[in-house]
Amino acid sequence: MTWSAVERRARTVPDGPVTRSGGDDGLLLRGLVTDSRRVVPGCLFACVRGAASDGHRWAGAAARAGAAALLADRPVDLALPTLSVPSVRARLGPLGALLAGDPADALDLVGVTGSNGKTTTSTLVGGVLEAGGTCTGVVGTLGARVGIRTRRTPLTTPEAPELHELLRWMVDAGARRAVVEASSIALDMGRIDGLRFGVAVFTGFEEDHLDHHGTIEHYWASKARLFERDRSAAAVVVVDDPWGRRLAEQAPVPVTRVGTSEDADVRVLGWRTGAAGTEVLLGDDTGGHRVSSPLVGRVHVTNLAAAWATGRALGVPADAIAAGLAATTPPRGRNTVLGGSGRPVVVVDYAHTPRALAAAVATARDLCGPGGRLHLVLGARGRRDRYKRQGLGESARAADVVWLTNEGSHGEDPAAIIGELRIGLLGGGAAVRTVPDRRAAIHAAVRAAGPADVVLVVGRGHETRLLDTTDPRDAVHLDDAEVATTALIVEHGPPTRAPAGEDELAS
């Protein structure tokens, strides 16, 4: 892309003057980069101000690595063509799109946001759209994929230049639709700027990420940005909590309401769930529909309903939606069920907020056999949302035995984190054990569990790296599902009988 084209796109952001210094109109730029370690010859290096580092300090390193020009919002003493702007971050989306060839123009986009359920709902919507006959990419917490191709991503929603590069990769692979998880932090920091979504999906809301947002209203406002008229054409909103109802009432775009209430456009009429999966009875303006999924747990009922509503909003036939939901493999670390067949059941889940934990505990309780007990392996992430810890302890009271452990202290004192969780458990009836080593805690819980029991391991889900310092290089490999699988074999041996059937229909 030419230097003059970059300048023209930069001027479309209405926040003040743009000044270009150096460089011919025809200077060719190859990509937009925000990390000096990823610079390739001929790229435009964006000097982004971050929480821990200022990209302007790394402009020299970028120049030495071959950057052809700079995007800056303060003076940089380098002999490189420079575009000086009021805010570098505000232009990452528009310029990232331009330098990737505006891939979103070739895609119908779906955005998914919410405190819990984004990854599962994004996966389900991707499956529905594929079943409808359209090659569909998905970008989110578990990485990016299109067809059988996958790429790792460091963030739920990548920085804007990386996100547009992924969309280009998807278009080149044949995708015509894409589903993007939109985190509140990404919305707050402009990572999805330059994108417009055909449908935006809201899965629910509770306090989270207040270490970044400061207040729950700021957190809410960040989520609500996805539903502004210039970002989305239509919305699918789960209205089973007050925040969802508020969004459905305030959104300036057409809204499909999803939930259990009588005024829902897509209404959950009944459901059942067990180790074999979940079945949901839905009602909409075309009548009743029964859908099945291998996903386990009541928490996924509204995720399935939201995916159904999104498919209908995008014109996918009902039978294709049902087929897509039935065929979609559960995302890793979202109520992943292990064991059974004469051994305890182990459930590995990402639940890391009080309400998500309460839902995970309820799901695990549903899977207990007659007289079975629920063992919960619980920790809390260091340097993140400290205010949630007592709430997690309160939700944990519903278990029979709680095994308090480390979840990655990130430089905090692990014993202090465990102490805060323990405060929330005060007054409850659960027996509490403290095993700081996470691997040992999972083994101890599995060892103590009987054939009718369930061991619920929460907090990390799909994650495979555990960090106890502030240096990412110190992270060690620890996959909760791997540890649990090993513990089942060591403590209880291989399976000996078939798994139990599904539970009764709930409504």
Side-chain angles (χ1 to χ4, degrees):
M1 191 60 58
T2 64
W3 190 217
S4 60
V6 169
E7 180 186 2
R8 285 194 300 272
R9 183 66 65 91
R11 293 184 183 279
T12 63
V13 180
D15 64 349
V18 173
T19 304
R20 186 179 116 190
S21 60
D24 296 331
D25 282 355
L27 172 67
L28 290 176
L29 298 171
R30 297 176 176 84
L32 178 63
V33 177
T34 60
D35 186 335
S36 61
R37 295 165 296 185
R38 296 186 63 222
V39 166
V40 295
C43 74
L44 173 63
F45 178 69
C47 303
V48 180
R49 300 174 190 259
S53 182
D54 184 346
H56 296 82
R57 294 175 52 202
W58 301 100
R64 291 189 294 273
L70 301 176
L71 181 68
D73 53 31
R74 69 174 175 83
V76 178
D77 188 17
L78 285 172
L80 271 185
T82 301
L83 206 58
S84 299
V85 297
S87 169
V88 169
R89 181 163 288 284
R91 284 162 178 80
L92 293 182
L95 293 184
L98 176 69
L99 287 162
D102 288 313
D105 290 350
L107 293 166
D108 294 327
L109 296 176
V110 177
V112 181
T113 196
S115 301
N116 302 301
K118 291 188 299 296
T119 298
T120 299
T121 303
S122 296
T123 302
L124 290 170
V125 171
V128 164
L129 298 180
E130 286 279 356
T134 305
C135 180
T136 301
V138 178
V139 183
T141 304
L142 301 184
R145 65 172 175 80
V146 56
I148 62 172
R149 305 180 186 182
T150 61
R151 285 190 177 180
R152 299 180 66 177
T153 55
L155 300 167
T156 293
T157 312
E159 286 285 4
E162 288 78 15
L163 178 56
H164 287 282
E165 288 176 3
L166 287 170
L167 296 179
R168 166 52 56 196
W169 169 67
M170 291 175 177
V171 169
D172 291 345
R176 293 298 173 262
R177 281 175 166 159
V179 184
V180 178
E181 282 190 54
S183 71
S184 62
I185 295 174
L187 286 157
D188 194 43
M189 298 181 72
R191 293 180 197 158
I192 65 165
D193 289 356
L195 297 180
R196 179 169 170 79
F197 298 89
V199 178
V201 183
F202 181 82
T203 61
F205 187 83
E206 70 169 314
E207 289 188 16
D208 203 4
H209 301 303
L210 297 195
D211 49 350
H212 172 85
H213 295 291
T215 68
I216 193 168
E217 282 294 333
H218 185 187
Y219 176 42
W220 159 256
S222 296
K223 293 283 190 191
R225 285 176 184 165
L226 182 61
F227 301 87
E228 294 170 352
R229 200 182 303 276
D230 62 344
R231 292 188 191 273
S232 299
V236 169
V237 179
V238 175
V239 294
D240 280 353
D241 64 45
W243 298 97
R245 301 194 73 83
R246 173 179 168 181
L247 178 61
E249 292 165 1
Q250 295 180 355
V253 298
V255 175
T256 299
R257 296 172 179 240
V258 175
T260 57
S261 60
E262 291 186 1
D263 64 344
D265 301 302
V266 174
R267 187 180 177 193
V268 176
L269 302 174
W271 56 269
R272 63 180 176 187
T273 187
T278 299
E279 186 175 314
V280 183
L281 181 61
L282 299 172
D284 62 16
D285 59 356
T286 64
H289 308 272
R290 190 178 296 271
V291 299
S292 300
S293 166
L295 290 165
V296 173
R298 60 181 70 183
V299 69
H300 293 309
V301 170
T302 53
N303 295 334
L304 288 161
W308 172 277
T310 304
R312 294 309 303 266
L314 292 170
V316 181
D319 57 348
I321 297 175
L325 295 177
T328 300
T329 303
R332 186 162 53 90
R334 271 55 177 180
N335 280 347
T336 297
V337 179
L338 308 167
S341 301
R343 307 174 298 168
V345 168
V346 178
V347 179
V348 177
D349 192 60
Y350 190 53
H352 60 281
T353 65
R355 197 170 76 188
L357 176 57
V361 168
T363 289
R365 182 69 73 184
D366 290 340
L367 297 176
C368 287
R373 298 190 304 164
L374 174 56
H375 299 255
L376 173 63
V377 178
L378 176 67
R381 188 72 52 88
R383 296 186 180 275
R384 182 183 296 177
D385 294 332
R386 181 177 177 182
Y387 67 91
K388 291 192 302 190
R389 294 173 188 171
Q390 292 186 28
L392 289 169
E394 291 173 9
S395 295
R397 294 177 188 175
D400 297 302
V401 185
V402 179
W403 302 80
L404 294 177
T405 191
N406 180 33
E407 193 181 295
S409 60
H410 290 251
E412 277 196 67
D413 178 5
I417 297 173
I418 288 173
E420 293 181 25
L421 291 168
R422 187 181 287 274
I423 290 172
L425 282 158
L426 292 175
V432 181
R433 311 278 187 265
T434 299
V435 184
D437 181 273
R438 189 174 185 87
R439 192 181 303 270
I442 295 172
H443 273 266
V446 172
R447 183 184 310 120
D453 293 354
V454 172
V455 178
L456 173 62
V457 184
V458 298
R460 300 181 66 248
H462 62 283
E463 295 176 355
T464 60
R465 305 290 287 173
L466 187 142
L467 180 65
D468 282 325
T469 73
T470 57
D471 188 344
R473 293 173 296 182
D474 293 333
V476 298
H477 179 82
L478 199 153
D479 182 320
D480 287 353
E482 286 182 3
V483 175
T485 299
T486 299
L488 282 165
I489 294 171
V490 169
E491 307 296 345
H492 297 279
T496 57
R497 62 179 176 83
E502 292 185 336
D503 296 340
E504 294 300 315
L505 183 69
S507 61

